[in-house]
Amino acid sequence: MARNCIVVNLDRCIGCYACEVACKMENDIALGERWNKVVQVEPFGEFPHLSTYWLPVMCQQCEESPCTHVCPTGASYRDEKTGMVLVNKEKCIGCKYCMMACPYGVRNWNKEQHVVEKCTLCNHLTAAGEKPACVKNCCGKARFYGDLDDPNSDASLELTRADADAVHYLPDAGNTPLSAYILSPKFGEWRANDLTQTTNLYVTTEGSVD
């Protein structure tokens, strides 16, 4: 089974929010909802040695996805061909168990359709050989998509180019997130190790990390 995900190089991210906008436009996401959220990790350090960066947060395509484990109808599932964690809206009964189970708060409630939604890695595009909308429209060329089991995929190649101490993941609660972030020590200190859904930073675009 493939391990498709997105790798974000924070060394290149300029915090333009183009990925948020592209995602909303491509997937016709309702006002106030986001499948991809950019969180500003606010300036930290002591003047004049301050640093800040932007942390795009989307579905982490967890290998041990809690959302699919708790779904009572199979609406949240892993596609056997692509390995992607997806939502079958026709099976969704709106119990929101998957929203509560997600450690990163990246699932959204569609008030109009009364179903749960999330990042699909733009599977309607990737199935046709295209890149996800957020990847295509990244101004800083900071986002990479691909199968981690394919050494020649864009995601794998970008991870290969990065130093080991620059590769980071969101906190692992036993779910084993696949999506990776690259942040070199010379550009900033990784500050997301203590982030959880309860901090609210994964739920909105505003916030800071103390």
Side-chain angles (χ1 to χ4, degrees):
M1 185 181 295
R3 296 194 300 154
N4 289 300
C5 70
I6 289 177
V7 171
V8 185
N9 189 331
L10 301 180
D11 294 350
R12 300 178 61 90
C13 178
I14 61 174
C16 67
Y17 295 89
C19 55
E20 267 197 18
V21 176
C23 177
K24 289 179 70 69
M25 293 184 66
E26 179 66 35
N27 296 286
D28 193 25
I29 301 173
L31 183 66
E33 298 177 15
R34 296 179 181 88
W35 293 0
N36 175 74
K37 295 166 282 193
V38 179
V39 178
Q40 181 179 0
V41 181
E42 289 185 344
F44 52 89
E46 295 184 5
F47 181 82
H49 305 293
L50 300 172
S51 58
T52 186
Y53 60 89
W54 290 267
L55 182 68
V57 182
M58 58 285 168
C59 176
Q60 300 294 293
Q61 297 296 326
C62 307
E63 289 194 282
E64 296 295 333
S65 49
C67 55
T68 61
H69 295 330
V70 302
C71 180
T73 66
S76 288
Y77 69 102
R78 186 181 301 280
D79 184 84
E80 294 183 358
K81 182 178 180 180
T82 65
M84 296 178 183
V85 176
L86 301 170
V87 178
N88 184 335
K89 294 183 181 181
E90 294 183 357
K91 291 185 177 181
C92 181
I93 59 175
C95 67
K96 300 182 182 180
Y97 286 173
C98 61
M99 294 181 68
M100 292 182 280
C102 177
Y104 314 114
V106 292
R107 288 180 163 240
N108 286 262
W109 176 246
N110 187 314
K111 297 178 182 178
E112 182 177 342
Q113 299 180 23
H114 298 284
V115 294
V116 174
E117 296 180 327
K118 59 173 285 295
C119 166
T120 65
L121 290 176
C122 285
N123 61 332
H124 61 291
L125 295 178
T126 54
E130 298 184 43
K131 297 179 181 179
C134 63
V135 176
K136 290 193 299 183
N137 291 279
C138 178
C139 300
K141 305 300 181 184
R143 299 174 74 96
F144 304 84
Y145 165 79
D147 181 1
L148 295 181
D149 289 334
D150 177 3
N152 294 315
S153 72
D154 291 344
S156 294
L157 290 174
E158 187 64 12
L159 286 175
T160 300
R161 287 189 286 264
D163 293 334
D165 63 349
V167 179
H168 308 278
Y169 298 87
L170 294 187
D172 187 347
N175 47 292
T176 315
L178 287 182
S179 295
Y181 297 86
I182 298 170
L183 180 65
S184 300
K186 66 179 180 179
F187 291 122
E189 178 187 351
W190 179 250
R191 307 274 289 186
N193 287 333
D194 59 344
L195 290 183
T196 65
Q197 184 171 337
T198 57
T199 65
N200 202 41
L201 293 185
Y202 289 154
V203 185
T204 176
T205 55
E206 290 77 33
S208 63
V209 181
D210 297 326

